[in-house]
């Protein structure tokens, strides 16, 4: 599911595309996003979708914290190697936190990296964190601080490129869109990101509260969050990068790594007593020799740490509109444009 695939039955054709706009102009029905691991069959004018073919862990298996950290460290090395294969140079979406910091630490031995950080709030704190981490890693970094007018212009491109008016989707896609556009202008053709690490390793605050109530339910919640990553993040982020002709490289979504981590008990990922999240990932980072300042870095949601959420509210308010109606207006304009340019 790293690349979205949409499907719709127009009554005469079965339409399949990685962009909704190709279907908007040719079918009265809204395109449906296909879940990963499915096969579409079309016969005698009827469409059917198979059940998922990929098996993921259903229950946690017992393992010691030390063995888990060693295995995760080895799988991470393999995953970064696979996802860096064929690259001489690449951009990396960088926050200075654990996910992107560890990824940069491992990939810099394989690829000539350029770190790129975007901050819409222009408060300095987020940029300072990224700049300090880049200095520790001895890697070049590009710091971006788009103005309000630049952000408003980019929002139209983001809604058109991501084909969504969902507030959370746009807020999270806006930073990666800006970073990927900057990377393309710097002549890069790929971008590495830390997508998937929060879902795999228990990075969200909600997992801590869930662990206190029901650890077994937390295991299933983490599992479903990762398996739904396509619809929540990858769908829009792939298109945000593709809009700028960049391929999206996602080492944390590596199947071998994900399959192992999803089998770990949630207590190895979230420590209820200390409140530490991504426990086994931090232990693996230390085993790999990652600098402690990065291995111990705090987790913050990208849309809030970059100021994207706040900037979106300011832009909508200045037009006397809610965020939802503002984004819906942009999407409606994109749909009208697509329907005027029907392909069939």
């Amino acid at each position: 599911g790293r690349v979205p695939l949409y499907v719709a039955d127009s009554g005469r054709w079965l339409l399949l595309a990685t962009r909704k706009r190709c279907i908007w102009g040719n079918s009265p029905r809204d395109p449906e996003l296909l879940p990963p691991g499915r096969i579409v069959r079309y016969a005698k004018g009827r469409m059917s979708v198979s059940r998922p073919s990929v098996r993921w862990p259903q229950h946690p298996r017992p393992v010691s914290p030390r063995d888990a950290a060693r295995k995760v460290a080895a799988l991470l090395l393999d995953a970064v190697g696979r996802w860096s294969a064929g690259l001489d140079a690449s951009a990396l979406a960088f926050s200075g936190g654990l996910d992107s910091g560890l990824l940069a630490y491992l990939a810099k031995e394989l690829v000539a990296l350029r770190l790129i950080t975007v901050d819409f709030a222009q408060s300095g704190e987020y940029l300072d964190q990224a700049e300090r981490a880049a200095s520790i890693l001895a890697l070049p970094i590009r710091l971006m601080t788009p103005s309000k007018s630049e952000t408003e212009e980019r929002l139209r491109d983001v809604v058109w490129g991501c084909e969504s008016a969902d507030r959370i989707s746009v807020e999270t896609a806006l930073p990666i869109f800006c970073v990927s556009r900057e990377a393309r202008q710097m002549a890069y053709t790929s971008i590495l990101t830390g997508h998937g690490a929060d879902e795999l390793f228990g990075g969200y605050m909600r997992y801590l509260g869930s662990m206190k109530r029901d650890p077994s339910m937390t295991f299933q919640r983490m599992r479903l969050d990762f398996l739904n990553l396509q619809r929540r993040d990858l769908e829009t982020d792939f298109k945000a990068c593709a809009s700028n002709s960049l391929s999206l490289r996602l080492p944390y979504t590596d199947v071998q790594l994900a399959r192992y981590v999803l089998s770990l008990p949630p207590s190895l990922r979230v420590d209820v007593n200390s409140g530490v999240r991504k426990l086994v990932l931090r232990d693996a980072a230390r085993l790999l020799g990652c600098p402690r300042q990065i291995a111990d870095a705090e987790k913050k949601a990208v849309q809030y740490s970059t100021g994207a959420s706040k900037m979106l509210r300011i832009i909508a308010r200045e037009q006397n509109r809610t965020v939802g109606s503002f984004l819906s207006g942009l999407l409606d304009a994109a749909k009208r444009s697509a329907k005027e340019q029907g392909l069939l």
Side-chain angles (χ1 to χ4, degrees):
R2 298 183 188 99
V3 177
L5 183 63
Y6 301 100
V7 61
D9 179 1
S10 72
R12 182 183 177 191
W13 303 89
L14 179 68
L15 304 175
L16 294 148
T18 56
R19 297 299 183 100
K20 292 179 182 178
R21 69 187 68 153
C22 298
I23 296 176
W24 279 337
N26 298 285
S27 173
R29 302 180 184 179
D30 282 335
E32 174 188 349
L33 178 66
L34 285 175
R38 310 294 175 95
I39 296 174
V40 177
R41 303 182 188 277
Y42 193 69
K44 298 180 180 179
R46 297 185 64 183
M47 180 184 78
S48 63
V49 181
S50 71
R51 290 178 172 271
S53 57
V54 180
R55 292 187 177 275
W56 296 94
Q58 299 282 339
H59 305 285
R61 61 182 182 185
V63 61
S64 72
R66 186 169 182 80
D67 288 346
R70 285 175 172 172
K71 182 67 173 179
V72 168
L75 289 171
L76 270 172
L77 281 173
D78 290 344
V80 172
R82 275 191 290 274
W83 283 88
S84 301
L87 295 179
D88 295 320
S90 178
L92 191 152
F94 193 69
S95 68
L98 172 62
D99 305 339
S100 61
L102 177 56
L103 184 55
Y105 173 75
L106 297 177
K108 72 174 186 174
E109 303 300 326
L110 307 171
V111 180
L113 288 180
R114 169 63 69 105
L115 311 179
I116 304 179
T117 303
V118 61
D119 182 14
F120 300 95
Q122 302 180 355
S123 61
E125 181 182 348
Y126 184 70
L127 296 179
D128 289 345
Q129 172 184 292
E131 199 165 22
R132 283 195 301 270
S135 177
I136 291 168
L137 294 168
L139 286 170
I141 186 169
R142 167 78 170 93
L143 303 175
M144 301 174 60
T145 54
S147 66
K148 182 166 64 64
S149 60
E150 289 171 330
T151 303
E152 187 170 357
E153 184 178 338
R154 289 287 176 270
L155 276 170
R156 300 179 186 280
D157 295 333
V158 170
V159 172
W160 168 249
C162 297
E163 303 171 322
S164 173
D166 177 72
R167 180 179 62 83
I168 299 297
S169 296
V170 173
E171 286 176 356
T172 54
L174 179 58
I176 192 67
F177 181 91
C178 293
V179 167
S180 62
R181 174 156 293 187
E182 182 70 14
R184 188 60 188 168
Q185 290 174 353
M186 298 168 75
Y188 290 103
T189 58
S190 66
I191 184 166
L192 288 155
T193 79
H195 285 84
D198 286 320
E199 290 77 9
L200 271 185
F201 294 100
Y204 296 123
M205 183 63 77
R206 63 176 179 264
Y207 296 140
L208 186 58
S210 178
M211 276 291 289
K212 294 176 181 178
R213 294 189 299 272
D214 188 345
S216 63
M217 184 62 71
T218 305
F219 174 85
Q220 297 299 336
R221 188 172 189 176
M222 290 178 177
R223 179 180 180 276
L224 289 175
D225 281 351
F226 182 80
L227 298 183
N228 289 327
L229 189 64
Q230 175 209 27
R231 185 175 293 277
R232 195 177 61 254
D233 285 335
L234 300 186
E235 176 190 5
T236 53
D237 291 343
F238 168 84
K239 292 188 285 187
C241 292
S243 296
N244 294 306
S245 302
L246 251 70
S247 65
L248 186 58
R249 304 268 179 148
L250 305 161
Y252 287 111
T253 68
D254 185 80
V255 172
Q256 293 182 38
L257 172 65
R259 189 169 280 142
Y260 178 75
V261 176
L262 288 178
S263 74
L264 296 177
S267 59
L268 294 184
R269 294 180 260 177
V270 178
D271 186 349
V272 175
N273 295 323
S274 66
V276 174
R277 292 166 283 161
K278 301 183 185 174
L279 196 62
V280 70
L281 182 61
R282 296 181 192 279
D283 290 343
R286 296 183 190 103
L287 286 177
L288 290 165
C290 184
R292 187 163 288 274
Q293 298 96 316
I294 291 171
D296 295 339
E298 248 185 276
K299 156 70 186 169
K300 293 181 180 178
V302 64
Q303 66 267 38
Y304 302 117
S305 54
T306 63
S309 179
K310 182 178 180 180
M311 181 64 80
L312 185 55
R313 290 197 304 271
I314 291 172
I315 291 171
R317 191 184 306 124
E318 287 191 352
Q319 298 194 16
N320 295 317
R321 302 176 72 178
T322 64
V323 171
S325 66
F326 171 66
L327 295 177
S328 294
L330 295 180
L331 184 62
D332 288 343
K335 285 184 176 181
R336 285 194 299 271
S337 176
K339 289 178 179 178
E340 290 168 0
Q341 302 172 41
L343 300 180
L344 298 178

